[in-house]
Amino acid sequence: MIEAMKDQIPAINSRFSGLSSKLIITIIGVIMLVEIVIYLPSLASFRTTWLEDRLRVGIVAARVLDAVPDVMALPRELTDRLLLSAGADAIVYRREGQSQLIELTEPVTPERAVTADLRQRDLPSQIAGALDTLLAGPGRTLRIVGEGDMNESLLELLMPEEPLRREMIDYSRSIVLVSLGIAAVTAFALYMLVSTLFIDPVLRLTANMLAFRKAPENGALILNPSLRRDEIGILERELAAMESELFAMLRQRRHLADLGLAVAKINHDLRNTLTAAQLLSDQVATLDDPKVQRLAPRLVMTLDKAIGFAQSVLDYGREAAKPPQFTPIPLRALVEDAGFEARVTNNPLIAFDNLVPEDFQIVGDAGQIGRLLVNLLKNAREALETVPGEGQDRLISVTAEAQAENAVISVIDNGPGLPPRARENLFVAFEGSVRSGGTGLGLAIAREIAEAHGGRLELGETATGTRFDITLPLQQTIA
């Protein structure tokens, strides 16, 4: 099954693409860096050995000079042979304050000379000298300085630098070829190991996620986790659990959607029937029979509740998730309009205080924020209408203040408050209703609107009654 999913996404199925190619490049790069770190001391050691070999030949020539009495001169053929064996143009031997020179029959005058002092044994100097020789152009003369085989003796050789440079280039070429071979073999071995342990499982997870995203209702695409106990195994099990939950959730939502469509149709017909029953009850209420006059108000109130419930369900089903259109909103005027629509303004039973400052502004969708306020004010009015007795001080107030980067709008009433049962499912549709016969849709819709604006709706703390706090960001992007 996974192989079939990989065939649908060839970009991920390629072994040498994505993480695989990055892994190979990284391994080769690290190995080459290590080789470079090793190469520089190795090149310096090669150059030092080459110079020491030439110096040893010069020491042999110096011994020959020591063996010849001072009154005698070495034959020219012998001196030339000594110089040719050392590859030098001249040899200078210094001992006890005296200097002896051996040079070719046709002496060479150096144009550019560079000194290689073998008495300096520190690694940085040797590396610097090796790089200087390797990067220098042809035509330079090398002056090799080193100690002889006798106390306080000094030997100098003058020779062309080009032979040393050629051998160093050949040596470097060999090192590069060997390094590339080692890097290739090591990278391949590490890649196969890492690929088996990590890359292949990641490819499997990626292929599964892409395939499941295209068909989340296909239960056959739910990942079958392995028995690994490391992070990859945890990821596989968590992904399998998430896909299983998502599969069940989507199936449940599809069933709920189908059921909701059926309920909406039934509810629509029921509303029409209830409306007809309401018309009949209005006619019955006009009869003079005392029993009818006593029972008719209850019948009318019951039908009104049933019609309101049906209408709320239909409105919630038709609710469209439109993103907010952010514009500056004068909040005080919006609260006044919401109070009028919720029938709390000029209500003979309820006092309404709009305590929002005149210049207080928020940024949001005026229609949606207005609906949020209407729902909260309507709930507050209905809660106060249940307070028994006449002449009671029933008050609804709305305040607003800026706190840090947020605007906090509070809708407060001094009603009976919320029972503990209602607090548990306060913002859950069809479950968060406080009053009998309510749908609980008002608070659910209000919370959705607040969250769509990047804010939140919470039940606040108050000594008496109920308080809802709306927290909205003061700064939003205005389209």
Side-chain angles (χ1 to χ4, degrees), residues 222-225 235-245:
I222 296 177
L223 181 69
N224 184 20
L235 180 60
E236 289 177 344
R237 290 188 290 275
E238 291 299 321
L239 179 61
M242 183 186 68
E243 290 177 347
S244 300
E245 294 174 1

Side-chain angles (χ1 to χ4, degrees), residues 331-333 335-336 351-360 377 395-402 408-413 467:
L331 184 59
R332 183 177 178 84
V335 171
E336 286 291 339
F352 177 58
D353 284 344
N354 184 356
L355 303 178
V356 178
E358 290 284 352
D359 58 346
F360 197 91
L377 292 173
L395 174 64
I396 299 175
S397 59
V398 179
T399 64
E401 61 178 345
V408 179
I409 308 167
S410 301
V411 178
I412 309 167
D413 67 70
R467 169 177 177 158

Side-chain angles (χ1 to χ4, degrees), residues 3 37 88 342 344 438:
E3 294 298 328
V37 173
V344 297

Side-chain angles (χ1 to χ4, degrees), residues 194-260:
V194 176
S195 178
T196 302
L197 294 177
F198 302 108
I199 301 298
D200 288 345
V202 170
L203 287 174
R204 177 171 174 258
L205 290 172
T206 306
N208 175 264
M209 287 188 289
L210 292 177
F212 187 80
R213 177 179 176 273
K214 294 180 180 179
E217 295 184 359
N218 185 356
L221 296 179
I222 296 177
L223 181 69
N224 184 20
S226 65
L227 299 178
R228 296 177 60 155
R229 297 297 179 185
D230 55 7
E231 288 78 1
I232 296 292
I234 296 174
L235 180 60
E236 289 177 344
R237 290 188 290 275
E238 291 299 321
L239 179 61
M242 183 186 68
E243 290 177 347
S244 300
E245 294 174 1
L246 183 59
F247 171 79
M249 184 184 302
L250 290 176
R251 174 167 290 187
Q252 182 185 30
R253 288 196 173 186
R254 186 177 62 182
H255 291 174
L256 290 176
D258 295 340
L259 180 62

Side-chain angles (χ1 to χ4, degrees), residues 73-85:
L74 288 174
R76 174 58 61 182
E77 293 182 1
L78 180 59
T79 57
D80 288 348
R81 190 177 301 173
L82 290 173
L83 292 171
L84 289 175
S85 63

